[in-house]
Amino acid sequence: MPDAYRQLLDAAINHLQELQAQGVRSVSVSPETLAALDAKPRRPLPQKAAAPPAPLQPRSIPGPAPEAPKAAEATPVTALDLSLGLPGERAAAPAAPLDPEAKAAAFADLSRRAAACVKCPHLASSRKNVVFGVGSIHAELLFVGEAPGADEDEQGEPFVGKAGQLLTKIIQTTGLSRESVYIANILKCRPDTPGQSAGNRKPTAGEMATCIPYLHEQIDLIRPKAIVALGATAVEGLLGKTVGITRLRGNWRIYRGIPLMPTYHPAYLLRNQALSEKRKVWEDMLQVMEKLGMPISGKQRGFFTKP
Ligand code: URA
């Protein structure tokens, strides 16, 4: 699927999901649009894998007809029932999955290309290591952070510093291991801090746009069932500037046809130790576990509800 089309589709889905989150149950679309959406190749909804995808249901809009804007008067509209699943949730997955050997070879090739990358000369000259990613290339769950910090640059592995150790704990609390998921960043190089001997800086929009094709290739090869975006910068790099992380977190989005859960960055939890903030991240993770069909114990459901 061409990237531009995929981005357009993701944007449309995300808009519909925002409406859905606000309680909107159906939207008006022209029959032509509905037919065009319905004609796209599909894959089953993640939660309803066994059931054949429901066709998009045109319905007459109940209640008094809304006042249509003048330009739209000539176009008949029907309602797209949002409760039946959004079209892009069934959007085509990128080609057929590769067999494990071919996948490993493609991943190794991608990693070699990233290791030799000099698209951002200032980052290429300041980095100690390209921090490509870590974990299983067959993972069902992918975590995406913003960029390597000093520890990660030193060790060539994402999320190994204090925030990374907390992320590992969060992963383990779900019952998964760090090795069974995949962890990557939008930027594969540490953002340089010229003139400073310590500290990190936020990656620029240009740096993220330059580097993100590597992440896209990682996503398309791994094909996880869910993605967790860690923190405002990662969310911005993936979805563009929308609303703040406080409003985005906890609500599913779609990214490259895959359900994406925005949540707070573990570094935020290190700065803000309030139980309520830990609980929010944990609630996001519970949603992710549900999406993956993981067992959830009563104890797990209750984590971070009382001191
Ligand atoms: N923060 C990130 O976003 N990524 C890392 O790899 C480490 C810290």
Side-chain angles (χ1 to χ4, degrees), residues 131 144-153 157-161 163-164 183-187 200 230 233-234 265-267:
V131 182
V144 178
E146 55 181 77
D151 294 323
E152 290 75 20
D153 182 44
E157 184 171 326
F159 284 97
V160 289
I183 307 173
N185 285 307
I186 294 183
L187 231 62
N200 292 319
L230 299 163
T233 306
H265 196 286

Side-chain angles (χ1 to χ4, degrees), residues 37 184 211 260 271:
L37 287 170
C211 205
L260 177 139
R271 289 194 304 273

Side-chain angles (χ1 to χ4, degrees), residues 168-189:
T168 303
K169 267 197 205 160
I170 295 170
I171 293 167
Q172 289 168 344
T173 310
T174 67
L176 293 169
S177 65
R178 192 172 155 99
E179 296 72 36
S180 68
V181 302
Y182 198 87
I183 307 173
N185 285 307
I186 294 183
L187 231 62
K188 308 301 188 213
C189 293

Side-chain angles (χ1 to χ4, degrees), residues 187-255:
L187 231 62
K188 308 301 188 213
C189 293
R190 180 184 182 212
D192 60 342
T193 49
Q196 276 175 244
S197 58
N200 292 319
R201 75 162 168 84
K202 184 180 157 176
T204 65
E207 288 167 344
M208 289 200 278
T210 303
C211 205
I212 211 163
Y214 292 118
L215 179 67
H216 287 168
E217 284 195 54
Q218 287 175 304
I219 293 173
D220 293 348
L221 284 170
I222 298 172
R223 301 176 68 169
K225 284 191 181 156
I227 299 172
V228 175
L230 299 163
T233 306
V235 171
E236 196 181 311
L238 294 170
L239 303 176
K241 239 189 180 350
T242 52
V243 292
I245 183 72
T246 314
R247 276 191 52 201
L248 282 176
R249 64 143 286 277
N251 295 300
W252 287 107
R253 312 294 295 234
I254 294 288
Y255 192 70

